[in-house]
Amino acid sequence: MEFKDIATVSGKPGLYKVLKPSRSGVILESLDEKKGKLVVGAAQRVSLLSEISIYTLTEEGASPLQDIMIKIEKEFKGDTGLEGADKEEYQAFMKHILPEFDEDRVYASDVKKLINWYHIVRSECPEVLEEPEATEESESKEEKE
C-alpha cells in the first residue's frame, strides 16, 4: 500500500484504504480490526493523506504529512508517549518533530489527530513509513550497473 491509497472521511473517525471508484463515489475499507467497507458519495469530503500538509513558517508554507510521519517513525518507533497528554504536550511534541510549524494555525487537536493517524498507519500498513529515498537510491544504482 502507498500513502496515496489511504484516506480520511470528514465526520468519520479513523483512516480508510481506497479500494476503487464507484458510480456514486468511492469504495473505502476501514483500517481497523473490523475492515468494514463504506461507499462515500460526492456529498462527503474524502481527503487522501498524500494531499494533506501541516502549516509551517517556511517559504513553502507547509510540510507534507508523509514526511512528518516518517520523522515520527524514525525517532519514536511507535512510542510517542502522548496518551492522555494535554495541549502543551502536543504543541511541544510538534515543535520537536517540526520546529518550523505554524503554532497559530496548527491546533493541539490537529496534532492529536496526526498522532492517532500515525498509530493506525504504523499498525496497519507500516511500509508507508519507510523513507522513500532509500528505495530510489538503490533503484538508480541498479540502473547504472
Side-chain angles (χ1 to χ4, degrees), residues 36-56:
K37 290 191 174 48
L38 171 72
V39 177
V40 179
Q44 288 180 294
R45 187 167 168 217
V46 176
S47 300
L48 299 176
L49 291 192
S50 60
E51 297 173 353
I52 298 175
S53 298
I54 292 190
Y55 293 116
T56 64

Side-chain angles (χ1 to χ4, degrees), residues 132-142:
E133 298 87 39
T135 57
E136 289 173 10
E137 286 176 15
S138 63
E139 287 174 6
S140 64
K141 285 180 184 176
E142 289 174 9

Side-chain angles (χ1 to χ4, degrees), residues 66-108:
Q66 183 174 14
D67 294 351
I68 296 165
M69 284 192 176
I70 288 172
K71 279 184 189 177
I72 294 170
E73 174 62 18
K74 194 174 184 180
E75 187 158 336
F76 293 95
K77 304 281 188 240
D79 184 19
T80 56
L82 290 173
E83 291 73 32
D86 63 9
K87 178 183 175 182
E88 288 77 26
E89 289 174 304
Y90 282 118
Q91 295 290 58
F93 174 83
M94 199 66 210
K95 193 80 162 164
H96 176 77
I97 291 297
L98 189 66
E100 64 275 4
F101 87 103
D102 189 341
E103 293 182 50
D104 295 332
R105 296 167 70 186
V106 179
Y107 302 106

Side-chain angles (χ1 to χ4, degrees), residues 7-18:
T8 179
V9 179
S10 136
K12 298 212 178 277
L15 294 175
Y16 299 85
K17 177 182 177 182
V18 177

Side-chain angles (χ1 to χ4, degrees), residues 13-26:
L15 294 175
Y16 299 85
K17 177 182 177 182
V18 177
L19 295 179
K20 61 182 177 178
S22 69
R23 286 185 180 156
S24 60
V26 66

